Amino acid sequence: MRCGFCGREFSEELGASACANCPLSKLKGSQGCGHVKCPYCGYENPQETKFEQKLRTWSWRKRSQTDDTHSLANLPKGVPAKICQLDKSSAKDLQKLLAFGIMPGQSVEVIQRYPTIVVKVGRTTVALDKQVAAQVFVCAS
Amino acid sequence: MSNCHCSPTQTNATGQRRRRRRRGQPINPEPTLDQHKPLFLVGNPNVGKSLIFNALTGAYVTVSNYPGTTVELSHGHLNLGGIVFDVIDTPGLYGLLTVTEEERVTRSLLLDQRPEIVLHVVDAKNLERMLPLTLQLKEAGLPLILVVNMLDEAAAVGLQIDLELLQTRLGLPVVGTISTTGEGLEQLRETIRGYAVNPPQHQPYTSSYFADQITQAQAQIADLLRQDYTLSKTTIAELLLAGEPEITEKLATQEPLYSQIAPIIAATAERYAEPLNFVLALQRQNAVNQLLDGVVTERASQQRRWSTWLNQATVNPWTGFPLLLLILYFGLYKFVGVFGGGTIVDFIETKFFAEIFNPWIDNLVESYIPWPVLQNLIAKDYGIITLGLRYAVAIVLPIVGTFFLAFSIIEDSGYLPRIALLLDRGFKKIGLNGRAVIPMALGFGCGTMATMVTRTLETKRERVLATLLLALAIPCSAQLGVIIALLSGSAKALALWSLIVLGILLLVGYLGAQVLPGEQPGFCLEVPPLRLPKLRNVLAKTYTRMYWYFLEVLPLFILASVIIWAADLLKIFDLALAALNPIVNAMGLPNEASVAFLFGFFRRDYGAAGLYDLQQSGLLGFNQLLVAAVTLTLFVPCIAQFSVMWKERGWKTAIAIAGFIVPFAFLVGYSLNLILNLLGVML
């Protein structure tokens, strides 16, 4: 999150580390004081709710996300790209991707993103869900 | 599981090994002639394998556009001037490292049997994706002929393929074909014949494109293998290196020197940061890309614009969902429900059976058979001919026939994977994924067939869920047709029925997904281009499915008639009906409805058809019809479906599912009646 006083970005866990010594956080049944202390300037920022977080990050067009920028799950429609890497943690999914010719070096283009991601790899059209698409990493072609 | 695929194959193959020799033909000097040689067709799904199979054998089998519908193996004979081949169409295979059930079937076929010739059929448009399997099969030492199919489609996208260059580079016979028009098939036959008469010498082939460490490890492992394999030892070594679980597990116990093999695998794996199967696939792909350099040349494509547009429109959510609804409305409701279930049934049932056939049989029986007991067995209210045959031919056949016709058209056009991708999100909510569209859609045709097809789903969890939902909330076409006919008098009742059944499908699916353990596999599916279905294939396919259905359904209908007759005679039925009556009454239905429910177990549609009779005689109002229709839809699957559930999922699961469904169906019926009464709804 972003400190409202000094404007620096910090992770909420880092801010919450100050709570360890605070008597308020030890009160039974309470959620603490609802504030997060900025580790840089000490200013106590009100905690962001999920709704506020959504509101802050919401925009018309899904921007390229800060994490997994290079995953196929976030590749915008119609932008030609090249597959540069695959996530190999799931042997089963990896095998499936390889079977459809989704492997490093292939050019790829997203045809559509909703309700299921549809991509063109070479001359093959493949539909994959977010979970599988997130295992494919792409770079600019 | 794969065993159950293989065993019928073997019995078939040996059972049909008849000696055939035409009279007057000179006896051929070659000793190899006049024997059935196994010829396998292998290749990715959607490359026109089944069409080539049909063209070669002349026999018909199911051809489909959906990856993975050909669960069963098709057999046929090919006679080339005295040499008879036993042609086997294997389920789609992407690679020797398998993912799906069908692939495992094909691989175990390749592992267990010794094919004389293997035809690897590939899609000319996608050579760079298909050839890795060709290399794999070649390295495995299989007697291979490469069939480059769909040359017309490749030409349409501007690809030119130098088949001769490909042949010299690969070092195996290559034939180009267009299976839809039959082009190149004559050459293929000649090549097969030439191959059989004069088999090329097989020199031990080793891949040279893997990195040195891998080639060395492969050779070391191959040296340590002591058992005999159909596939070459280097291929077995490669599968072990890639960590193929099934093979590894098998060899770990069978190979005496496995303790020396395991360290080699581990040491090789350690050299790479990535899993070996990935490394192998990548290096092989590089080899293929080099091999294809100069073989495939690309010109500007001249693809027809409407087909690109249609291909897009069917997957785009804005146009795809309305299109899907249109197809469901016209294909399922209008064509199957109204035309099949209404017009045709009406015609055969009332015009033919009720007015002409049944009275004639009744008369005939009365005048020739003096005993009333026997009269009742054959004719009259519950007779084999007047009830069993009439239900099968007049009510069920038209509906099932129109359904299978519609389904075959949709299947052959390549539309099914598009439904799968559109509905994937929805299916995820009920613990399945888009792949389950096939069994679910088939369930609207015949739940028995659909339950069989659930074996194509990836995890046990999905298979159980799909089986449950098929048994519970998916009405089969016969039932669907009769229910649409039943409720057609009241649009509100029909709408309510579909909403309630859909709601229950979603609710039970959602809850089931929460309860059943196991993770959800990701959805990843090839989307084939839309193709205009071939009339001959569609008709032949509809015919095979109807034939199968009729063989399965007619005996059961007759059996049901006989059981009903016997039970009626022995008064057992009255006991069962007396037990059922209070339950049925509690749902606000008359005693006569018990008969329909009792019949419902023999066949679901049989029960619905019984209701149809009740409605015709004006015994039921729309409220009651709705309650009865909902209960009957949810109620136990028919005997045939139940036996397939038992066979595919095991008795525990089958009984658990039935034990849940029966009380649940009545409970829903009871609550529905209560709610309708409380709200004072009159439909």
Side-chain angles (χ1 to χ4, degrees):
Chain A
M1 63 184 291
R2 194 186 177 87
C3 174
F5 187 72
C6 66
R8 278 198 262 199
E9 289 277 350
F10 63 94
S11 76
E12 227 166 279
E13 294 92 70
L14 202 63
S17 62
C19 296
N21 299 321
C22 172
L24 271 176
S25 67
K26 294 192 181 80
L27 281 178
K28 260 197 182 144
S30 85
Q31 295 290 313
C33 60
H35 288 75
V36 183
K37 202 169 195 143
C38 168
Y40 301 104
C41 65
Y43 178 73
E44 291 190 347
N45 292 279
Q47 214 164 4
E48 261 184 347
T49 59
K50 277 238 169 81
F51 175 70
E52 283 167 328
Q53 217 165 40
K54 267 228 165 99
L55 209 65
R56 189 165 56 88
T57 53
W58 182 83
S59 71
W60 275 108
R61 285 211 149 261
K62 275 262 189 284
R63 300 161 298 146
S64 51
Q65 307 279 302
T66 42
D67 50 338
D68 290 346
T69 319
H70 302 301
S71 116
L72 189 55
N74 298 315
L75 185 68
K77 201 163 124 177
V79 178
K82 217 177 185 79
I83 298 169
C84 52
Q85 201 48 270
L86 299 180
D87 178 350
K88 290 141 204 130
S89 50
S90 158
K92 212 168 184 180
D93 285 341
L94 176 65
Q95 202 53 55
K96 255 187 262 182
L97 291 171
L98 292 177
F100 293 134
I102 300 182
M103 52 173 68
Q106 293 282 354
S107 60
V108 65
E109 189 183 327
V110 173
I111 297 176
Q112 125 186 356
R113 304 194 45 87
Y114 190 86
T116 305
I117 300 169
V118 179
V119 297
K120 220 173 165 94
V121 184
R123 249 164 242 100
T124 310
T125 312
V126 179
L128 13 73
D129 62 9
K130 264 216 151 89
Q131 184 193 331
V132 180
Q135 300 176 18
V136 182
F137 302 104
V138 294
C139 38
S141 65
Chain B
M1 183 73 79
S2 58
N3 282 336
C4 65
H5 287 282
C6 305
S7 44
T9 320
Q10 285 156 346
T11 49
N12 250 350
T14 44
Q16 289 170 2
R17 233 162 257 208
R18 281 167 279 130
R19 299 206 138 222
R20 230 191 252 174
R21 188 176 288 159
R22 247 180 259 158
R23 230 181 262 177
Q25 232 177 19
I27 297 164
N28 239 309
E30 278 106 343
T32 47
L33 298 188
D34 208 25
Q35 274 173 10
H36 286 198
K37 298 162 176 291
L39 184 149
F40 284 10
L41 279 158
V42 298
N44 279 29
N46 267 313
V47 293
K49 216 156 30 79
S50 303
L51 273 175
I52 289 190
F53 173 83
N54 294 334
L56 286 181
T57 60
Y60 191 80
V61 276
T62 302
V63 192
S64 89
N65 223 341
Y66 185 87
T69 345
T70 329
V71 188
E72 282 141 1
L73 299 168
S74 320
H75 281 258
H77 283 167
L78 166 67
N79 189 337
L80 292 177
I83 313 178
V84 183
F85 294 91
D86 188 21
V87 187
I88 297 165
D89 186 15
T90 62
L93 178 77
Y94 281 109
L96 288 181
L97 292 172
T98 58
V99 181
T100 62
E101 190 69 38
E102 293 101 335
E103 287 186 279
R104 273 188 283 278
V105 172
T106 303
R107 194 185 56 198
S108 53
L109 272 175
L110 289 174
L111 275 171
D112 299 339
Q113 310 205 352
R114 287 178 192 273
E116 199 86 8
I117 294 177
V118 175
L119 297 187
H120 181 210
V121 185
V122 297
D123 173 1
K125 294 193 301 301
N126 281 312
L127 276 185
E128 71 278 4
R129 190 157 78 75
M130 311 261 161
L131 285 195
L133 180 58
T134 315
L135 293 184
Q136 249 182 330
L137 294 172
K138 186 182 152 103
E139 285 150 32
L142 292 166
L144 204 60
I145 296 176
L146 182 68
V147 182
V148 181
N149 194 21
M150 306 199 205
L151 284 172
D152 52 338
E153 284 187 17
V157 294
L159 291 182
Q160 224 167 4
I161 298 160
D162 189 342
L163 291 175
E164 263 171 49
L165 186 60
L166 185 62
Q167 174 158 339
T168 32
R169 285 205 185 154
L170 278 173
L172 33 96
V174 175
V175 184
T177 57
I178 303 172
S179 59
T180 42
T181 60
E183 217 175 296
L185 285 172
E186 203 39 57
Q187 199 200 336
L188 177 60
R189 281 191 201 99
E190 264 164 45
T191 313
I192 294 173
R193 194 185 139 76
Y195 204 101
V197 172
N198 190 13
Q201 282 305 307
H202 264 297
Q203 56 270 70
Y205 179 84
T206 40
S207 48
S208 49
Y209 48 81
F210 287 141
D212 290 342
Q213 300 106 308
I214 292 179
T215 323
Q216 279 162 18
Q218 236 180 330
Q220 282 171 4
I221 295 174
D223 278 343
L224 289 169
L225 292 173
R226 289 289 172 270
Q227 306 259 335
D228 222 16
Y229 297 98
T230 342
L231 304 186
S232 72
K233 287 189 172 165
T234 44
T235 296
I236 302 287
E238 188 202 319
L239 290 175
L240 284 174
L241 279 173
E244 157 58 39
E246 203 179 303
I247 305 272
T248 309
E249 197 186 317
K250 205 167 131 190
L251 296 206
T253 53
Q254 283 179 5
E255 279 293 339
L257 300 177
Y258 190 78
S259 55
Q260 293 177 45
I261 295 173
I264 303 178
I265 300 172
T268 320
E270 215 156 85
R271 286 169 180 254
Y272 290 91
E274 284 135 347
L276 278 180
N277 62 342
F278 174 74
V279 174
L280 291 169
L282 208 61
Q283 294 186 359
R284 179 167 281 137
Q285 186 65 53
N286 282 336
V288 166
N289 292 348
Q290 275 176 26
L291 198 145
L292 282 178
D293 186 41
V295 170
V296 182
T297 38
E298 193 165 358
R299 282 171 304 152
S301 77
Q302 14 164 307
Q303 210 172 19
R304 282 155 297 169
R305 279 175 72 200
W306 68 268
S307 68
T308 350
W309 178 83
L310 201 63
N311 271 319
Q312 295 275 7
T314 46
V315 294
N316 185 302
W318 296 104
T319 43
F321 282 113
L323 263 172
L324 179 60
L325 286 180
L326 273 180
I327 287 169
L328 285 182
Y329 178 76
F330 284 106
L332 207 61
Y333 179 76
K334 279 283 180 194
F335 185 61
V336 179
V338 178
F339 177 69
T343 319
I344 303 185
V345 166
D346 249 16
F347 180 75
I348 306 182
E349 165 77 4
T350 47
K351 291 268 162 5
F352 180 67
F353 273 93
E355 283 175 18
I356 305 166
F357 190 70
N358 276 4
W360 179 68
I361 289 284
D362 283 351
N363 269 332
L364 210 68
V365 167
E366 272 172 26
S367 42
Y368 285 99
I369 301 174
W371 308 282
V373 172
L374 220 54
Q375 280 179 9
N376 283 338
L377 175 63
I378 297 170
K380 300 290 175 62
D381 283 352
Y382 298 134
I384 292 177
I385 295 178
T386 44
L387 184 81
L389 194 72
R390 177 170 66 99
Y391 274 5
V393 173
I395 300 185
V396 176
L397 195 64
I399 301 171
V400 174
T402 41
F403 176 85
F404 283 146
L405 186 62
F407 189 81
S408 301
I409 292 174
I410 292 175
E411 194 183 19
D412 270 16
S413 63
Y415 188 62
L416 281 176
R418 283 150 218 271
I419 306 183
L421 76 89
L422 284 176
L423 296 184
D424 178 55
R425 270 170 196 258
F427 272 70
K428 288 244 170 70
K429 298 266 189 300
I430 54 174
L432 301 169
N433 76 26
R435 267 181 167 270
V437 142
I438 286 296
M440 287 311 191
L442 258 180
F444 285 105
C446 171
T448 311
M449 195 185 256
T451 308
M452 242 179 242
V453 172
T454 53
R455 71 164 75 128
T456 59
L457 299 177
E458 272 172 64
T459 59
K460 191 179 172 223
R461 174 177 185 259
E462 287 176 290
R463 290 193 284 263
V464 170
L465 267 172
T467 309
L468 167 68
L469 294 177
L470 280 169
L472 180 73
I474 307 277
C476 67
S477 66
Q479 208 182 16
L480 196 67
V482 181
I483 282 170
I484 288 177
L486 267 182
L487 300 178
S488 59
S490 160
K492 269 189 280 180
L494 194 60
L496 258 181
W497 171 82
S498 14
L499 279 180
I500 292 167
V501 173
L502 184 70
I504 285 169
L505 174 82
L506 296 179
L507 182 74
V508 172
Y510 178 75
L511 293 178
Q514 308 302 313
V515 171
L516 281 174
E519 59 172 329
Q520 189 143 18
F523 171 74
C524 190
L525 190 70
E526 191 181 340
V527 186
L530 284 175
R531 299 190 175 115
L532 209 60
K534 290 208 142 323
L535 184 69
R536 193 182 143 248
N537 285 349
V538 167
L539 290 181
K541 203 160 167 169
T542 312
Y543 170 77
T544 6
R545 286 200 167 121
M546 277 174 77
Y547 183 73
W548 175 86
Y549 184 83
F550 212 66
L551 276 189
E552 187 253 347
V553 73
L554 197 61
L556 278 163
F557 269 68
I558 289 172
L559 183 74
S561 303
V562 174
I563 292 178
I564 293 167
W565 167 80
D568 199 36
L569 202 69
L570 299 171
K571 308 283 178 223
I572 298 172
F573 235 45
D574 295 345
L575 286 178
L577 286 179
L580 214 53
N581 279 345
I583 305 174
V584 170
N585 289 340
M587 295 192 297
L589 299 173
N591 283 344
E592 284 82 355
S594 304
V595 185
F597 284 115
L598 204 58
F599 286 4
F601 182 63
F602 296 107
R603 290 210 62 93
R604 280 211 274 189
D605 38 86
Y606 211 102
L611 279 185
Y612 188 72
D613 281 354
L614 279 185
Q615 187 235 16
Q616 292 293 315
S617 54
L619 270 172
L620 297 173
F622 277 114
N623 272 9
Q624 291 172 311
L625 275 176
L626 177 63
V627 172
V630 167
T631 314
L632 210 65
T633 310
L634 301 179
F635 193 53
V636 271
C638 68
I639 266 185
Q641 189 176 345
F642 188 70
S643 64
V644 171
M645 276 162 63
W646 188 291
K647 216 172 74 193
E648 295 273 322
R649 295 290 97 77
W651 64 273
K652 275 187 206 156
T653 313
I655 287 180
I657 288 178
F660 164 70
I661 286 177
V662 178
F664 183 74
F666 283 116
L667 189 71
V668 170
Y670 176 75
S671 333
L672 180 61
N673 183 45
L674 213 62
I675 292 169
L676 287 177
N677 284 344
L678 279 177
L679 298 178
V681 181
M682 282 307 283
L683 294 166

